[in-house]
Amino acid sequence: MADHSPLSAVEMSETRSAQVRSNLRSALRKPRLWFYLAWHYGPSTLQRIQSRANALRQGAICAALAVLVSACADPGFDQTPRTAEIPLSQATHAPQIFYADTTRECGFNIIETVHTRTYANQGDIELWCRDPADRSLIDDLDFKRLPTTHATTARSRIRNVEGYLYDTLSKRVFNGRKWVLVEDGAFAPIPDYPTQLVWHQVMEPGSDYDYIQIGRYYKGYMGYSVFTDRGYHGSFDGYFSAITAFEDDVIVNFDRQVKRYDIPMQTHDDIHILNGETVDAEDNWIYGFFPYDDVLIYGSAVRGSVNPNGPLTIYDGETLDTHILPSANAARGEAREYYSYLRYGDDVLIGTYPSGYLVNYSPDRGFTLTDSPENTYDYAYREAQSLTLLKGNPLVGMYPWGEIFERVDGAWTVKTLFDGIRDTGRLVPFDKAYRERFDLSEEEFGGAGIFERYADIFASLPPEHQPADLTDANQVALAKAAGIDTTSWGLRITHMVVMSGELCVGTGNMAGALYDADVHDWIPKRSADWYGNVFCADVPGHILVKKSQSRGATVQLLGDRIVIRKDGEIVQWADW
């Protein structure tokens, strides 16, 4: 198994020792550590460890003995069956209640969501109990920052990969204590779930590029993707645009066109020369493809379009069915870009820019632009960059104030990720301080007025931070890259990832510019940690079962405990 490990031998030993020494008590409640143990000891030993540990949790001594597959006395718990064993195969994309009384209701649902080019959760099943009198969750979430993933950008792009929390920008996996680099060409196989990491090198005859990586072109650049016998699971690097599997082929968006490739399983030593079929030749930039039953749904950001809203397209494998939403805001549009997708029952919710409203797609009604979540602060614009479900409730991660909106029984509530970030009436966080720093009037918040000032803004920075090649044509791009644009320090919630018993969110600023106290001196240094990090909150009474592990599994409520069984043994549990 060592040859397939994403961690080096030294890292593996250090990780295992550190987890056994200092993380056992919490590890027993975090299923991604069970995947780690399975990877080393095999599935049969894992089941023995889990069933033993699930019955113990009586302090560090018993926990340590459990990890060593030793014996401890079972302290016992209420094993009164409140439900029969229910196959997880009955889960759907709509929340279903399988038990309810006056104090709790328990249910399950599938989570299928794409955020800005990345599957955050791909067909995972969440099981949960909640208070029927108070179904709202976000006010009770206490987010804690994980160690910084990397020091090259103020962005994070996280996803749940077979129980691991993985950041695709830094190519690092969180091992329960720190982020560890995943070596190119390697990722841990999961027991009973054959995984093959494949290597793509794509050439377009007659193109301007020597090599085309799936989703983006780079001369001589190779990209890695994961396929299994159950489908495509994404690309492991930070340089791909929208990509998905569809009808045994791969659909990609690069050079602002949609193309389709018949890509077979490959070994690392194979080079395949492939010809892509152009599916959609429009000048479109796409932030995500979303498979829906037998079709593919995607929204496009159109450059130069006279219509304020970008098109939404349904691709059935042969034809394109394109829809343009009507807009009440003819000047700017309300859905110029589409960032996130979530399956909710038979519908798909789609997060937009610049209104931050959700588009609702249903087979019966087509695409409808809603007016929610409500824009109560009349911001100049918002981005609904991430969507997910938590205990059956839809959540939306919103720029520019780092807000999480939650829908409960049709009504929206909101939680700001950080206290003190919201500044009513302002464009973005620190907007007033920004204007004072660069002597900008209140009217100069966008358009040509601010663009004409970038040369002055750069000139006010220390000499080593002034670009030598500043021109009228590139000043906007350079200002964004340097983090001195008006909107640079709006807080994005780029991804929300559901783990078992946890919700993790990744943050970032507009262009990923790293904080520099000599440049960004209008921003308090303590606030720099808001950007480009990962924050996780415990979710009690919650279990996430990966799609790959759900075959043949059942759920049952025993007393106050949700238990997951596979092959007759308890493999996961959570207390209500």
Side-chain angles (χ1 to χ4, degrees):
M1 300 293 286
D3 292 340
H4 301 285
S5 167
L7 315 183
S8 68
V10 173
E11 290 283 1
M12 193 71 68
S13 176
E14 178 187 356
T15 297
R16 180 164 48 196
S17 299
Q19 287 166 349
V20 171
R21 286 197 312 270
S22 61
N23 290 323
L24 281 174
R25 190 169 298 178
S26 61
L28 296 179
R29 299 193 302 270
K30 298 182 183 298
R32 62 173 174 264
L33 268 297
W34 293 124
F35 287 100
Y36 172 85
L37 293 169
W39 167 13
H40 284 286
Y41 300 113
S44 60
T45 302
L46 169 69
Q47 290 178 352
R48 292 198 304 272
I49 292 172
Q50 285 184 314
S51 60
R52 193 74 54 86
N54 287 343
L56 300 174
R57 295 210 319 170
Q58 293 296 301
I61 295 177
C62 282
L65 290 173
V67 170
L68 296 174
V69 201
S70 300
C72 268
D74 186 346
F77 68 96
D78 181 5
Q79 301 188 40
T80 304
R82 300 187 185 275
T83 69
E85 289 191 44
I86 303 168
L88 295 192
S89 59
Q90 295 183 12
T92 69
H93 292 91
Q96 299 179 72
I97 303 298
F98 64 80
Y99 177 81
D101 59 27
T102 57
T103 62
R104 67 189 147 185
E105 58 185 14
C106 302
F108 58 173
N109 52 266
I110 297 172
I111 305 178
E112 188 98 26
T113 181
V114 168
H115 304 159
T116 314
R117 307 179 178 94
T118 304
Y119 259 115
N121 288 90
Q122 188 173 9
D124 306 327
I125 301 173
E126 67 162 356
L127 305 103
W128 39 266
C129 289
R130 63 191 184 188
D131 184 349
D134 183 12
R135 296 189 175 98
S136 181
L137 308 170
I138 56 174
D139 284 343
D140 295 327
L141 297 178
D142 183 16
F143 287 97
K144 306 293 185 183
R145 183 170 71 86
L146 300 187
T148 299
T149 56
H150 51 111
T152 58
T153 180
R155 281 178 175 170
S156 57
R157 185 177 291 164
I158 55 175
R159 57 177 306 197
N160 186 325
V161 180
E162 299 303 337
Y164 295 93
L165 184 62
Y166 187 87
D167 178 63
T168 65
L169 286 179
S170 65
K171 293 186 178 180
R172 281 169 166 80
V173 64
F174 190 63
N175 68 8
R177 185 173 62 89
K178 65 179 182 178
W179 296 92
V180 181
L181 183 66
V182 175
E183 298 172 1
D184 282 345
F187 204 85
I190 305 302
D192 302 322
Y193 191 39
T195 301
Q196 183 174 4
L197 196 63
V198 297
W199 173 88
H200 303 310
Q201 188 176 34
V202 184
M203 296 179 65
E204 287 271 43
S207 74
D208 295 332
Y209 312 108
D210 291 338
Y211 301 106
I212 298 180
Q213 176 209 350
I214 290 301
R216 190 171 172 112
Y217 46 84
Y218 274 95
K219 185 173 182 178
Y221 192 90
M222 286 72 159
Y224 293 93
S225 300
V226 170
F227 282 76
T228 72
D229 59 353
R230 297 180 184 87
Y232 170 76
H233 292 270
S235 295
F236 285 137
D237 62 70
Y239 303 103
F240 61 90
S241 184
I243 175 172
T244 195
F246 184 70
E247 294 183 345
D248 299 323
D249 292 343
V250 173
I251 307 293
V252 300
N253 170 236
F254 66 86
D255 207 15
R256 298 198 296 273
Q257 292 187 346
V258 178
K259 293 199 172 185
R260 180 170 180 164
Y261 288 95
D262 177 14
I263 298 182
M265 290 291 213
Q266 309 171 30
T267 67
H268 291 295
D269 297 326
D270 290 340
I271 296 178
H272 287 248
I273 311 300
L274 303 174
N275 291 305
E277 169 196 357
T278 299
V279 171
D280 189 342
E282 294 295 327
D283 186 22
N284 295 339
W285 190 255
I286 296 167
Y287 293 107
F289 294 111
F290 194 75
Y292 176 90
D293 294 342
D294 297 328
V295 302
L296 198 64
I297 297 173
Y298 61 91
S300 307
V302 177
R303 302 191 178 201
S305 172
V306 296
N307 190 287
N309 288 332
L312 288 154
T313 300
I314 299 175
Y315 175 54
D316 64 6
E318 296 183 0
T319 60
L320 299 172
D321 185 10
T322 300
H323 302 258
I324 302 292
L325 295 167
S327 178
N329 185 348
R332 292 195 61 189
E334 293 160 319
R336 293 192 64 86
E337 298 177 3
Y338 305 92
Y339 279 108
S340 50
Y341 301 78
L342 169 69
R343 178 79 180 261
Y344 187 66
D346 291 332
D347 294 355
V348 177
L349 303 180
I350 305 172
T352 69
Y353 154 90
S355 66
Y357 292 155
L358 298 184
V359 171
N360 192 97
Y361 169 77
S362 71
D364 296 334
R365 299 184 302 277
F367 295 99
T368 305
L369 180 62
T370 72
D371 58 357
S372 63
E374 185 181 2
N375 190 345
T376 57
Y377 291 88
D378 193 27
Y379 308 141
Y381 70 84
R382 304 185 302 173
E383 295 173 347
Q385 281 211 312
S386 51
L387 281 161
T388 195
L389 291 175
L390 187 66
K391 292 194 177 183
N393 294 343
L395 303 182
V396 183
M398 193 77 74
Y399 170 98
W401 302 103
E403 294 167 313
I404 300 176
F405 287 83
E406 178 187 31
R407 191 172 76 187
V408 181
D409 298 330
W412 291 93
T413 57
V414 61
K415 176 187 181 73
T416 303
L417 198 57
F418 303 109
D419 292 336
I421 188 174
R422 186 184 286 134
D423 190 358
T424 302
R426 293 290 172 178
L427 180 69
V428 293
F430 315 113
D431 180 60
K432 183 177 181 180
Y434 171 85
R435 298 179 188 284
E436 293 173 350
R437 166 66 175 83
F438 296 114
D439 193 26
L440 298 172
S441 70
E442 291 295 329
E443 290 73 27
E444 293 178 298
F445 77 95
I450 189 66
F451 295 160
E452 294 170 355
R453 298 294 306 276
Y454 282 134
D456 295 336
I457 291 173
F458 272 117
S460 71
L461 300 180
E464 62 271 22
H465 295 288
Q466 297 179 19
D469 58 344
L470 184 68
T471 67
D472 289 343
N474 69 12
Q475 62 178 340
V476 175
L478 290 177
K480 290 181 181 294
I484 60 170
D485 177 63
T486 51
T487 60
S488 290
W489 294 91
L491 184 62
R492 284 174 155 172
I493 297 182
T494 57
H495 295 80
M496 292 188 290
V497 176
V498 180
M499 308 295 289
S500 195
E502 284 184 302
L503 174 67
C504 295
V505 302
T507 65
N509 59 24
M510 178 61 73
L514 287 174
Y515 176 80
D516 187 326
D518 292 334
V519 176
H520 311 113
D521 52 8
W522 69 93
I523 298 174
K525 189 174 184 351
R526 65 181 181 276
S527 300
D529 285 344
W530 294 350
Y531 302 88
N533 280 306
V534 178
F535 301 81
C536 295
D538 288 338
V539 181
H542 182 273
I543 295 175
L544 191 82
V545 178
K546 295 301 296 181
K547 180 180 180 180
S548 60
Q549 301 294 319
S550 65
R551 183 178 297 175
T554 64
V555 60
Q556 185 178 26
L557 190 63
L558 296 180
D560 293 328
R561 180 168 293 182
I562 311 169
V563 299
I564 305 298
R565 285 191 177 90
K566 193 167 185 178
D567 298 327
E569 294 201 40
I570 295 176
V571 294
Q572 286 180 260
W573 59 267
D575 282 334
W576 160 244

